[in-house]
Amino acid sequence: MNLFHKLSNWLRLKRQEANVLCVGLDNSGKSTIINQLKPSSAQTQDIVPTIGFCVEKFSTSSLTFTVFDMSGQGRYRSLWEHYYRDAHAIIFVIDSGDKVRIVVAKEELDMLLHHSDVKHRRIPILFFANKSDLQDSLSSVKVSQMMGLDNIKNKPWHICASNALTGEGLQEGVDWLQDQIRSLKS
Amino acid sequence: MSGSENKDINEVNSKWLDAHYDPVANLYTFSSCVALADLNGDGESKLVVGDLGSGASNMKLKVFKGTSLMTENTLLDLPTGLVAFHMDQNEPRTPAIAVASGPFIYVYKNLRPYFKFTLPPLEVNELEQEVWSQAREDKIDPMSLKEMLEGIRNKAQVPLSVRSLKFLMLEHQDMESFVNMHKQQPIRRQTVITCIGTLKKNMADEDAVSCLVIGTENMEIYVLDPEAFTILSKISLPSTPAFMDVTGQFDVEFRITVACRNGNIYILRRDSKKPKYCIELSSHAVGLVRVNKNIVVGCTQETLHGCTQKGKKLWTTYLPASIVTMGLMDHKSRGFQAVLVGLANSEVHMYRDKNLVNIIKTQDVITSICFGKYGREDGSLIMTTKGGGLIIKILKRTAVFDEKDTTPGPPVAQSVKLNVPKKTKLYVDQTMRERENAVAMHRAFQMDLYRLRLTAARAYVKALESNLTPMSSSASEPLKMNAVVQGLGPSFKLTLNIQNTSVCRPSMNLAISFWYDEKLYSLKTSFFKIPLLVPGLNYPIDTFVECLSDKGISDVIKVFVLQIGRSNPLLTAHINMPVSEGMALC
């Protein structure tokens, strides 16, 4: 049995599983991104503000992702930290059209990075500078500068501009995340 | 002192996030002309500002979304107040904007002009009307018109109209043209709006229909119907209102608190045509805020007073600078209310009751303050500066304001309970034993103490008798010696200071000898003679010691002062040599 297990792993017959935590401020598009990543048969039309959190699953060529889609509303943000321990990767969604609240996103990110369950782990973080279709949206470079992402030294991170409504930029980010998780697991 | 101040500033900064600062936003306004409202019904609050422009031109109604200006409408006159209110039950529930300016209220819906309300004209002085009608028929010349108007101004009960007052101000040559220009129009006397507020009609909901409440220059307060803009209620005041706060529901019970220009605060209630309570302030009010059921008023004397809604004064706080503006911080989701006071020293102080809970340092003097939901963020603080800047700060999610005052008082540590361990059985037994056998224990202790003293005294006497001390006890040769070791090793310099302590007898025939472990140390000369010692003088005698061991051990070197012809040393010194640290040199 064990041998078969190893063999199937080696042949990548069975997909590996990864727990991913999806966080970000309210109205940044977390649920929309997760919805877009699901197979088209499982997608929903209406996205409503998430209460508490939702667990979603989707798979790529080699990994099965279990995503904890956290609510971004102020009163639910205190829930995030309870899921840091079991997460293999973090997706942080930023509304690149909301310039005023970039500081709030930065504050939440800093709190995340300084949390004892995250601080010393080499956990990959994927940033989506979402809503890139908006006219006055910030570029991913500008977002990473305003968020101070250059200061993250001990974790692999990647930022990509995305448009969750059309799915633009999402695949690039998920591919990066998949490579990171596989390189960490092997 | 400065260190603690710096710490305070850091602590202040830790409560707020600096979301945006535009020093040249070109916004010149006061707290009464700023409102936050979800104008489009999309869940995002916008900032609505009645911009005073330069004071004479460029008056605008501006709407900000995020960091940028969304729309602007030109205003005809200086705005004195701006409120957002729901005027009907229509869906979606988008509020209308009412801008008070001169004698008019301009109502905007969807940022388009919707309605203009004009204050009812006032009664005109009959004599004045008579005089102007004569002027219209050219019966009197401008000079006699002026004389007659001056006569009316001095005597009449009803004051003159603005037109007549303007005419009286004119120079002689301008009068004729002024009369010709204005004489055809009938005389009207109108008052202007000084402050504006909103009052829920009959429901307490956040988005319930509200009436407008306006205070006017002629010392009256009107409550307007939200849809028809008819005057529902009219209340007279003893003075002109300057600041107003309204609470309650028009159809149920309401309370209007007005700070007037005569330095008094009047509290009006439903069904009373006259003020119910009056608070007489020691100086003029510069701001009025209601926190829960209490009124907080800022005065020109750099003071902040707290009063109950029945007019009883609760507390007074003294401020470091004069007040420029005041605002309420009402964080509904946390149930936190505080008063924000913008001071002339570019600070915003946050008071909870009389306690200063937070200080925000700003880049410029703040002229308007507004706290509420901006965009999607509940805890946003919007401020505009004297120089036309716009500052947006966001309250941190983790920020907690201490209940306690930040001003000095007994430290918190004083009230912390110490964790004293419980009494064990052993402890109790010991205590019992001590209590019962106190006398015996005391005696035993005293006996041991005497024995110890006796042993110590015997050892001392023995040391004296065998001259083991660095003090000579013999009457014939009173000497004193101390030794100093210098150096890190392996070479040490040993300095012996010898002093003859007798009054007038010199010491002679003395010699010094050393005793030491020859495996460890070597001395150049281990025996030498001392010259004659004159009483009172200090004789330093140097010698060099070489440490031979590299094992980091040290020993005692004994120094004996001897008198030639005597076998006992006069005195002895034990020198504890330091460990040689310079072993590499060996």
Side-chain angles (χ1 to χ4, degrees), chain A residues 19-45:
Chain A
N19 290 334
V20 178
L21 190 67
C22 183
V23 293
L25 299 189
D26 48 310
N27 200 38
S28 57
K30 295 175 295 300
S31 302
T32 316
I33 285 178
I34 303 304
N35 187 49
Q36 193 63 242
L37 289 172
K38 284 195 291 187
S40 52
S41 57
Q43 284 180 9
T44 53
Q45 289 300 314

mmCIF file of all heavy atoms in Angstrom, chain A residues 19-45:
data_model
loop_
_atom_site.group_PDB
_atom_site.id
_atom_site.type_symbol
_atom_site.label_atom_id
_atom_site.label_comp_id
_atom_site.label_asym_id
_atom_site.label_seq_id
_atom_site.Cartn_x
_atom_site.Cartn_y
_atom_site.Cartn_z
ATOM 1 N N ASN A 19 -3.414 23.712 1.297
ATOM 2 C CA ASN A 19 -4.369 24.638 1.917
ATOM 3 C C ASN A 19 -3.907 26.072 1.646
ATOM 4 O O ASN A 19 -2.765 26.415 1.922
ATOM 5 C CB ASN A 19 -4.429 24.429 3.428
ATOM 6 C CG ASN A 19 -5.077 23.118 3.782
ATOM 7 O OD1 ASN A 19 -5.876 22.597 3.008
ATOM 8 N ND2 ASN A 19 -4.719 22.590 4.939
ATOM 9 N N VAL A 20 -4.806 26.852 1.097
ATOM 10 C CA VAL A 20 -4.456 28.235 0.773
ATOM 11 C C VAL A 20 -5.431 29.148 1.500
ATOM 12 O O VAL A 20 -6.633 28.887 1.533
ATOM 13 C CB VAL A 20 -4.526 28.478 -0.746
ATOM 14 C CG1 VAL A 20 -4.220 29.921 -1.068
ATOM 15 C CG2 VAL A 20 -3.562 27.575 -1.470
ATOM 16 N N LEU A 21 -4.894 30.207 2.094
ATOM 17 C CA LEU A 21 -5.716 31.183 2.803
ATOM 18 C C LEU A 21 -5.847 32.404 1.910
ATOM 19 O O LEU A 21 -4.846 32.934 1.439
ATOM 20 C CB LEU A 21 -5.021 31.547 4.121
ATOM 21 C CG LEU A 21 -5.818 32.372 5.109
ATOM 22 C CD1 LEU A 21 -6.980 31.569 5.639
ATOM 23 C CD2 LEU A 21 -4.925 32.800 6.251
ATOM 24 N N CYS A 22 -7.070 32.820 1.669
ATOM 25 C CA CYS A 22 -7.290 33.988 0.810
ATOM 26 C C CYS A 22 -7.790 35.134 1.684
ATOM 27 O O CYS A 22 -8.872 35.051 2.265
ATOM 28 C CB CYS A 22 -8.298 33.650 -0.276
ATOM 29 S SG CYS A 22 -8.551 34.986 -1.425
ATOM 30 N N VAL A 23 -6.977 36.171 1.811
ATOM 31 C CA VAL A 23 -7.354 37.310 2.656
ATOM 32 C C VAL A 23 -7.242 38.615 1.867
ATOM 33 O O VAL A 23 -6.703 38.643 0.753
ATOM 34 C CB VAL A 23 -6.481 37.392 3.941
ATOM 35 C CG1 VAL A 23 -6.755 36.230 4.845
ATOM 36 C CG2 VAL A 23 -5.016 37.472 3.596
ATOM 37 N N GLY A 24 -7.699 39.667 2.461
ATOM 38 C CA GLY A 24 -7.714 40.991 1.825
ATOM 39 C C GLY A 24 -8.884 41.775 2.373
ATOM 40 O O GLY A 24 -9.753 41.221 3.035
ATOM 41 N N LEU A 25 -8.896 43.084 2.103
ATOM 42 C CA LEU A 25 -9.963 43.929 2.641
ATOM 43 C C LEU A 25 -11.300 43.587 1.988
ATOM 44 O O LEU A 25 -11.344 42.906 0.960
ATOM 45 C CB LEU A 25 -9.649 45.404 2.382
ATOM 46 C CG LEU A 25 -8.373 45.955 3.003
ATOM 47 C CD1 LEU A 25 -8.350 47.454 2.835
ATOM 48 C CD2 LEU A 25 -8.279 45.596 4.469
ATOM 49 N N ASP A 26 -12.377 44.073 2.604
ATOM 50 C CA ASP A 26 -13.694 43.859 2.033
ATOM 51 C C ASP A 26 -13.781 44.539 0.668
ATOM 52 O O ASP A 26 -13.143 45.569 0.423
ATOM 53 C CB ASP A 26 -14.776 44.406 2.973
ATOM 54 C CG ASP A 26 -14.474 45.801 3.472
ATOM 55 O OD1 ASP A 26 -13.350 46.004 3.939
ATOM 56 O OD2 ASP A 26 -15.334 46.681 3.373
ATOM 57 N N ASN A 27 -14.537 43.948 -0.201
ATOM 58 C CA ASN A 27 -14.773 44.481 -1.538
ATOM 59 C C ASN A 27 -13.516 44.496 -2.405
ATOM 60 O O ASN A 27 -13.428 45.231 -3.374
ATOM 61 C CB ASN A 27 -15.354 45.904 -1.460
ATOM 62 C CG ASN A 27 -16.057 46.306 -2.735
ATOM 63 O OD1 ASN A 27 -16.717 45.493 -3.363
ATOM 64 N ND2 ASN A 27 -15.876 47.544 -3.140
ATOM 65 N N SER A 28 -12.499 43.687 -2.046
ATOM 66 C CA SER A 28 -11.311 43.669 -2.888
ATOM 67 C C SER A 28 -11.435 42.618 -3.978
ATOM 68 O O SER A 28 -10.687 42.649 -4.956
ATOM 69 C CB SER A 28 -10.057 43.416 -2.044
ATOM 70 O OG SER A 28 -10.192 42.220 -1.326
ATOM 71 N N GLY A 29 -12.369 41.682 -3.839
ATOM 72 C CA GLY A 29 -12.622 40.713 -4.912
ATOM 73 C C GLY A 29 -12.108 39.317 -4.624
ATOM 74 O O GLY A 29 -11.829 38.569 -5.564
ATOM 75 N N LYS A 30 -11.989 38.971 -3.361
ATOM 76 C CA LYS A 30 -11.474 37.631 -3.004
ATOM 77 C C LYS A 30 -12.403 36.526 -3.505
ATOM 78 O O LYS A 30 -11.967 35.613 -4.214
ATOM 79 C CB LYS A 30 -11.344 37.510 -1.472
ATOM 80 C CG LYS A 30 -10.325 38.422 -0.857
ATOM 81 C CD LYS A 30 -10.336 38.342 0.650
ATOM 82 C CE LYS A 30 -11.628 38.839 1.265
ATOM 83 N NZ LYS A 30 -11.944 40.238 0.973
ATOM 84 N N SER A 31 -13.688 36.650 -3.171
ATOM 85 C CA SER A 31 -14.633 35.605 -3.545
ATOM 86 C C SER A 31 -14.761 35.526 -5.060
ATOM 87 O O SER A 31 -14.925 34.444 -5.619
ATOM 88 C CB SER A 31 -15.992 35.892 -2.915
ATOM 89 O OG SER A 31 -15.858 35.973 -1.521
ATOM 90 N N THR A 32 -14.682 36.671 -5.724
ATOM 91 C CA THR A 32 -14.784 36.687 -7.178
ATOM 92 C C THR A 32 -13.595 35.963 -7.805
ATOM 93 O O THR A 32 -13.753 35.209 -8.770
ATOM 94 C CB THR A 32 -14.842 38.147 -7.668
ATOM 95 O OG1 THR A 32 -15.726 38.875 -6.834
ATOM 96 C CG2 THR A 32 -15.298 38.222 -9.095
ATOM 97 N N ILE A 33 -12.420 36.167 -7.233
ATOM 98 C CA ILE A 33 -11.221 35.490 -7.747
ATOM 99 C C ILE A 33 -11.354 33.981 -7.556
ATOM 100 O O ILE A 33 -11.129 33.199 -8.493
ATOM 101 C CB ILE A 33 -9.962 36.022 -7.022
ATOM 102 C CG1 ILE A 33 -9.610 37.404 -7.551
ATOM 103 C CG2 ILE A 33 -8.772 35.066 -7.218
ATOM 104 C CD1 ILE A 33 -8.427 38.054 -6.890
ATOM 105 N N ILE A 34 -11.777 33.564 -6.365
ATOM 106 C CA ILE A 34 -11.910 32.133 -6.086
ATOM 107 C C ILE A 34 -12.962 31.531 -7.023
ATOM 108 O O ILE A 34 -12.789 30.450 -7.582
ATOM 109 C CB ILE A 34 -12.299 31.905 -4.609
ATOM 110 C CG1 ILE A 34 -11.270 32.544 -3.668
ATOM 111 C CG2 ILE A 34 -12.448 30.422 -4.300
ATOM 112 C CD1 ILE A 34 -9.857 32.099 -3.867
ATOM 113 N N ASN A 35 -14.050 32.275 -7.198
ATOM 114 C CA ASN A 35 -15.121 31.811 -8.070
ATOM 115 C C ASN A 35 -14.612 31.634 -9.497
ATOM 116 O O ASN A 35 -14.942 30.664 -10.181
ATOM 117 C CB ASN A 35 -16.259 32.833 -8.025
ATOM 118 C CG ASN A 35 -17.481 32.355 -8.768
ATOM 119 O OD1 ASN A 35 -17.923 31.236 -8.555
ATOM 120 N ND2 ASN A 35 -17.989 33.191 -9.642
ATOM 121 N N GLN A 36 -13.780 32.550 -9.922
ATOM 122 C CA GLN A 36 -13.238 32.507 -11.281
ATOM 123 C C GLN A 36 -12.283 31.323 -11.465
ATOM 124 O O GLN A 36 -12.179 30.776 -12.560
ATOM 125 C CB GLN A 36 -12.504 33.829 -11.537
ATOM 126 C CG GLN A 36 -12.128 34.119 -12.958
ATOM 127 C CD GLN A 36 -13.332 34.264 -13.877
ATOM 128 O OE1 GLN A 36 -13.470 33.505 -14.791
ATOM 129 N NE2 GLN A 36 -14.199 35.228 -13.597
ATOM 130 N N LEU A 37 -11.628 30.927 -10.379
ATOM 131 C CA LEU A 37 -10.659 29.839 -10.469
ATOM 132 C C LEU A 37 -11.337 28.468 -10.466
ATOM 133 O O LEU A 37 -10.732 27.481 -10.850
ATOM 134 C CB LEU A 37 -9.664 29.923 -9.298
ATOM 135 C CG LEU A 37 -8.681 31.094 -9.371
ATOM 136 C CD1 LEU A 37 -7.887 31.196 -8.090
ATOM 137 C CD2 LEU A 37 -7.749 30.939 -10.557
ATOM 138 N N LYS A 38 -12.565 28.418 -10.021
ATOM 139 C CA LYS A 38 -13.270 27.141 -9.967
ATOM 140 C C LYS A 38 -13.635 26.713 -11.384
ATOM 141 O O LYS A 38 -13.733 27.552 -12.293
ATOM 142 C CB LYS A 38 -14.556 27.294 -9.132
ATOM 143 C CG LYS A 38 -14.268 27.352 -7.638
ATOM 144 C CD LYS A 38 -15.501 27.149 -6.806
ATOM 145 C CE LYS A 38 -16.458 28.305 -6.919
ATOM 146 N NZ LYS A 38 -17.579 28.190 -5.977
ATOM 147 N N PRO A 39 -13.853 25.425 -11.602
ATOM 148 C CA PRO A 39 -14.284 24.999 -12.937
ATOM 149 C C PRO A 39 -15.597 25.683 -13.300
ATOM 150 O O PRO A 39 -16.433 25.939 -12.427
ATOM 151 C CB PRO A 39 -14.461 23.484 -12.789
ATOM 152 C CG PRO A 39 -14.479 23.212 -11.322
ATOM 153 C CD PRO A 39 -13.661 24.288 -10.693
ATOM 154 N N SER A 40 -15.770 25.985 -14.574
ATOM 155 C CA SER A 40 -16.882 26.837 -14.984
ATOM 156 C C SER A 40 -18.235 26.248 -14.596
ATOM 157 O O SER A 40 -19.198 26.987 -14.418
ATOM 158 C CB SER A 40 -16.812 27.084 -16.483
ATOM 159 O OG SER A 40 -16.714 25.848 -17.157
ATOM 160 N N SER A 41 -18.289 24.927 -14.428
ATOM 161 C CA SER A 41 -19.569 24.330 -14.048
ATOM 162 C C SER A 41 -19.946 24.677 -12.612
ATOM 163 O O SER A 41 -21.128 24.697 -12.273
ATOM 164 C CB SER A 41 -19.484 22.808 -14.206
ATOM 165 O OG SER A 41 -18.420 22.324 -13.419
ATOM 166 N N ALA A 42 -18.931 24.928 -11.772
ATOM 167 C CA ALA A 42 -19.204 25.176 -10.355
ATOM 168 C C ALA A 42 -19.299 26.662 -10.031
ATOM 169 O O ALA A 42 -19.513 27.037 -8.888
ATOM 170 C CB ALA A 42 -18.122 24.530 -9.501
ATOM 171 N N GLN A 43 -19.128 27.499 -11.030
ATOM 172 C CA GLN A 43 -19.124 28.945 -10.741
ATOM 173 C C GLN A 43 -20.522 29.455 -10.450
ATOM 174 O O GLN A 43 -21.497 28.955 -10.992
ATOM 175 C CB GLN A 43 -18.539 29.707 -11.935
ATOM 176 C CG GLN A 43 -17.039 29.585 -12.015
ATOM 177 C CD GLN A 43 -16.470 30.329 -13.187
ATOM 178 O OE1 GLN A 43 -17.159 31.072 -13.866
ATOM 179 N NE2 GLN A 43 -15.192 30.108 -13.438
ATOM 180 N N THR A 44 -20.586 30.476 -9.612
ATOM 181 C CA THR A 44 -21.875 31.098 -9.334
ATOM 182 C C THR A 44 -21.910 32.464 -10.007
ATOM 183 O O THR A 44 -20.873 33.050 -10.318
ATOM 184 C CB THR A 44 -22.100 31.277 -7.821
ATOM 185 O OG1 THR A 44 -20.976 31.969 -7.287
ATOM 186 C CG2 THR A 44 -22.260 29.953 -7.124
ATOM 187 N N GLN A 45 -23.112 32.948 -10.178
ATOM 188 C CA GLN A 45 -23.284 34.221 -10.873
ATOM 189 C C GLN A 45 -23.161 35.391 -9.907
ATOM 190 O O GLN A 45 -22.485 36.366 -10.196
ATOM 191 C CB GLN A 45 -24.648 34.254 -11.560
ATOM 192 C CG GLN A 45 -24.737 33.322 -12.753
ATOM 193 C CD GLN A 45 -23.722 33.658 -13.828
ATOM 194 O OE1 GLN A 45 -23.554 34.810 -14.199
ATOM 195 N NE2 GLN A 45 -22.989 32.659 -14.307
#
